[in-house]
Amino acid sequence: MSHDATDRLFAGSIPELYDQHLVPLIFEPYAADLAERVAAVKPGDVLEIAAGTGVVTRQLARVLPAATRIVATDLNVPMLQQARARGTARPVAWQQADAMALPFADARFDAVVCQFGAMFFPDRSRAFAQARRVLRPGGTLLFNVWDRIETNEFADVVTQALAAVFPQDPPRFMARVPHGYHDAAVVARDLAQGGFAAAPRWEVLSARSRASSPRAPAIAYCQGTPLRNEIEARAPTGLAAATEAAERALAARFGAGPVDGLVQALVFTV
């Protein structure tokens, strides 16, 4: 199976492990930030694309007025099923949808929001063009992407640890996809090619990633992301050993008790 296929494969136990381990580890602070930015534009209708297991959706349901309609979409049905299972504080419309072919009428939404999804789009300009198409005049696109992997310490340490486990063919999912779309100039170019005439506003947003032990981030990254697909492709029975190698590397860097690492992202508004 090609990288294009496995990089976007969130199936099996990945959605549940992702939601249980990775969401509280790195996504929750950015979800709260993004939801507050959406609330500030006072939208009547909001579309979320690449909603994953619903961490931003839950925040939107919490901070937006009850009259604001929220539609949350994702390409991966198992991720949406996990999101539905978690639920939201008030009703949300869940729908499977491809960000590059959104099944909505033109000028339908006041805001389109996407948390850490743009990196996964096979054609980002096309996805941005779709977002622009469904936005009403004066509407706003808000999204974030991870900064380079060296500024995201847990992901970097895990990637280096797995390179030692698989020296002939290091798993590079984390560097290639989640942390592979961090150049603001490239993002601005893709937005322009997608039809956004105005230059985006963007800022770097740092946070801390904390866990009770090194095992939590080791499981989060090795078993709760498509990195798992790369590990199992190299060693079908080697997931536990790879996770343990990541855990040892994290303990060597951050200690055997509670761990605390830097995470960093870029937040765009256009």
Side-chain angles (χ1 to χ4, degrees):
M1 189 177 292
S2 69
H3 284 319
D4 286 346
T6 60
D7 285 351
R8 297 168 180 85
L9 183 60
F10 290 81
S13 62
I14 289 178
E16 183 177 357
L17 290 167
Y18 173 104
D19 199 41
Q20 180 181 351
H21 295 284
L22 203 65
V23 164
L25 186 70
I26 60 174
F27 289 129
E28 284 183 342
Y30 291 100
D33 170 80
L34 205 55
E36 292 293 344
R37 292 172 191 262
V38 174
V41 304
K42 296 179 169 55
D45 292 273
V46 175
L47 172 66
E48 184 184 359
I49 55 179
T53 59
V55 60
V56 172
T57 322
R58 292 188 288 274
Q59 289 290 336
L60 291 171
R62 184 181 64 83
V63 303
L64 292 176
T68 302
R69 293 168 291 276
I70 303 169
V71 179
T73 69
D74 198 279
L75 179 62
N76 292 278
V77 171
M79 296 291 271
L80 282 179
Q81 289 172 335
Q82 180 67 28
R84 285 194 187 99
R86 284 289 302 271
T88 51
R90 63 180 180 84
V92 166
W94 302 99
Q95 185 170 338
Q96 192 273 343
D98 185 343
M100 295 189 299
L102 293 172
F104 305 107
D106 295 357
R108 164 81 184 277
F109 299 96
D110 302 301
V112 173
V113 58
C114 179
Q115 166 137 299
F116 301 123
M119 308 89 72
F120 291 87
F121 300 155
D123 185 335
R124 291 157 187 147
S125 296
R126 182 177 172 185
F128 290 145
Q130 283 289 296
R132 183 180 180 276
R133 179 184 64 79
V134 302
L135 279 170
R136 291 174 179 139
T140 305
L141 170 64
L142 303 103
F143 65 99
N144 50 24
V145 296
W146 291 117
D147 204 345
R148 57 195 178 90
I149 196 168
E150 293 81 5
T151 64
N152 288 265
E153 293 177 325
F154 290 169
D156 194 27
V157 169
V158 169
T159 298
Q160 292 181 43
L162 294 181
V165 176
F166 303 103
Q168 302 304 315
D169 187 15
R172 295 289 295 167
F173 166 76
M174 295 307 302
R176 184 176 60 252
V177 183
H179 299 282
Y181 191 50
H182 53 75
D183 187 330
V186 172
V187 177
R189 179 204 66 194
D190 291 344
L191 285 163
Q193 291 178 350
F196 286 92
R201 301 190 306 275
W202 65 277
E203 62 182 278
V204 175
L205 189 62
S206 299
R208 304 304 300 180
S209 182
R210 299 181 175 91
S212 59
S213 73
R215 180 134 188 96
I219 292 174
Y221 286 103
C222 293
Q223 301 185 24
T225 76
L227 178 59
R228 176 178 185 155
N229 303 326
E230 286 197 316
I231 293 169
E232 292 182 327
R234 288 158 177 77
T237 61
L239 183 61
T243 305
E244 289 167 6
E247 181 181 359
R248 288 193 300 270
L250 288 161
R253 173 75 175 272
F254 300 101
V259 293
D260 184 323
L262 172 69
V263 283
Q264 190 160 289
L266 282 66
V267 186
F268 289 84
T269 305
V270 61

